[in-house]
Amino acid sequence: EGDTRGVWRIDNGEIVAGMLGRKQEKNDFLCTTRRYGNFDLRLKIKLVGTEGFVNSGIQFRSERIPNDHEVIGYQADFGAGYDGALYDESRRKRMLAKPTPEVLKQAERPGEWNDYRIRAEGRRIRLWLNGVQTVDYTEPEADIAQRGKFGLQVHAGPPMEVRYKDLKIVELGKK
């Protein structure tokens, strides 16, 4: 569910948001209606845009904020300076873990299709970008939700397109 009339569309079998000729006024999310707990998600993501802050990501264990365009929950970040990082969207509003510059150099493929993998088992969250593990994080706060929706994000900012394809979710048993 999301804004499929103005922001999100299908193009050549890909899920696309944003436009190269138009500034993205606010963050926007295309979310599942179903909630997931333990899972292994694999997908391909590509950002197209050359001006300023170009960023997007994949929300997980997240929820829509009532009467708002934002969501709250974990985000596997994607974009220059944020690739392969774990952010806490609208909750703690901070980076929870990020790769070292050396790891990031091995993982980044700007302007190309990138393989992203997110694996969440209990309070442990691991991220891989192009086969390189970028984050291995264990949630220290026991009251943080371990179930929620997935959401694809297009970030507010300069003209850009974010493209997603080949999404595969495997639900895992409880840990």
Side-chain angles (χ1 to χ4, degrees), residues 99-112:
T100 65
E102 297 77 24
V103 167
L104 198 53
K105 188 175 180 179
Q106 293 175 33
E108 285 184 313
R109 287 191 211 153
E112 298 178 27

Side-chain angles (χ1 to χ4, degrees), residues 39-43 58 116-118 150 167-169:
F39 63 86
D40 193 313
L41 170 66
R42 295 171 193 242
L43 58 96
I58 304 104
Y116 218 131
R117 180 180 177 199
I118 305 163
F150 286 111
L167 286 83
K168 295 179 179 95
I169 301 167

Side-chain angles (χ1 to χ4, degrees), residues 1 29-43 57-64 71-72 74 76 117-120 147-153 167-171:
E1 53 86 18
F29 303 87
L30 183 68
C31 295
T32 62
T33 55
R34 186 171 167 213
R35 288 171 179 79
Y36 296 82
N38 296 320
F39 63 86
D40 193 313
L41 170 66
R42 295 171 193 242
L43 58 96
I58 304 104
Q59 293 294 136
F60 60 97
R61 294 181 172 175
S62 296
E63 298 295 337
R64 289 264 184 201
V71 299
I72 185 170
Y74 295 110
R117 180 180 177 199
I118 305 163
R119 187 174 179 99
R147 289 190 68 74
K149 297 178 179 184
F150 286 111
L152 304 179
Q153 182 205 47
L167 286 83
K168 295 179 179 95
I169 301 167
V170 174
E171 291 187 88

Side-chain angles (χ1 to χ4, degrees), residues 115-127:
D115 295 312
Y116 218 131
R117 180 180 177 199
I118 305 163
R119 187 174 179 99
E121 297 175 275
R123 296 186 341 186
R124 186 177 185 195
I125 297 167
R126 291 177 285 172
L127 307 178

